[in-house]
Amino acid sequence: MNASFKLLLLPIRAPMITLLGIISFYLGVHWGFQQDAMRGSGVDASLVDEAYWIFNLFQVFVVTFFCTLPDLVLRQLSLFMAASKVLTLVVTLLVVVLGGMYLLYWPGFDSILVMACALLLARLDLVRLKVWPPSWLACIGFTSFIMFFISYGNALHLRLHAWPIIRHLLDAGVIGN
């Protein structure tokens, strides 16, 4: 079996990659509906849209970075913290305080957590198949894959407004809040 055929069969052989694409698509649609709901609240639409979109994509990049490069990131962080006790205390407090504030006050944490879990499951699927590129290539590949599906979902969310079931869920407040 040649390499390109194996690559084409990868979504079938590793179904968690397909699940990661579906979850990324859903997040793009969900964030698009949330942007529409914010526009209806009378806030400056262009500024809110840009800030919201950039912040969500930054979150996705950070999660992808930490999920695909854990050995490199944690090794460098450990070496940095091992330099002195003061650095260990400062880094630990910074991580705990910022992480705690993020977990307590950001309502979108659940969607990012689901995406991180799907990404880690996709990595496990690739490891099970003994297909794993170098760390930086995996980071770039997964980031591109996730960003493509998020952007596609965000672009497609306007067409989903026409679907009756989506319209009903929007009116009921299930989607977009």
Side-chain angles (χ1 to χ4, degrees), residues 5-54:
F5 188 67
K6 280 185 176 181
L7 188 62
L8 287 175
L9 288 178
L10 196 58
I12 296 169
R13 293 174 53 214
M16 292 301 147
I17 292 176
T18 306
L19 179 69
L20 178 63
I22 291 169
I23 288 172
S24 300
F25 176 80
Y26 170 76
L27 286 178
V29 170
H30 180 68
W31 290 337
F33 284 137
Q34 284 183 337
Q35 282 178 321
D36 291 345
M38 282 189 281
R39 274 189 217 123
S41 63
V43 186
D44 182 20
S46 63
L47 180 63
V48 170
D49 281 348
E50 287 298 318
Y52 186 75
W53 186 244
I54 288 171

Side-chain angles (χ1 to χ4, degrees), residues 61-124:
F61 175 73
V62 168
V63 167
T64 307
F65 183 77
F66 276 101
C67 288
T68 55
L69 301 173
D71 53 338
L72 296 175
V73 172
L74 294 177
R75 183 180 326 130
Q76 293 301 323
L77 185 63
S78 298
L79 289 174
F80 179 70
M81 288 173 61
S84 77
K85 290 181 182 180
V86 173
L87 283 176
T88 302
L89 181 65
V90 168
V91 169
T92 304
L93 287 175
L94 185 67
V95 167
V96 168
V97 168
L98 290 179
M101 287 173 49
Y102 181 78
L103 293 176
L104 286 174
Y105 296 111
W106 185 250
F109 176 69
D110 54 347
S111 58
I112 292 296
L113 186 62
V114 169
M115 196 215 39
C117 292
L119 180 59
L120 291 173
L121 286 172
R123 282 191 64 196
L124 282 175

Side-chain angles (χ1 to χ4, degrees), residues 125-143:
D125 244 2
L126 288 176
V127 168
R128 178 183 57 84
L129 294 174
K130 295 180 176 87
V131 176
W132 191 247
S135 296
W136 289 104
L137 185 60
C139 183
I140 292 169
F142 274 123
T143 301

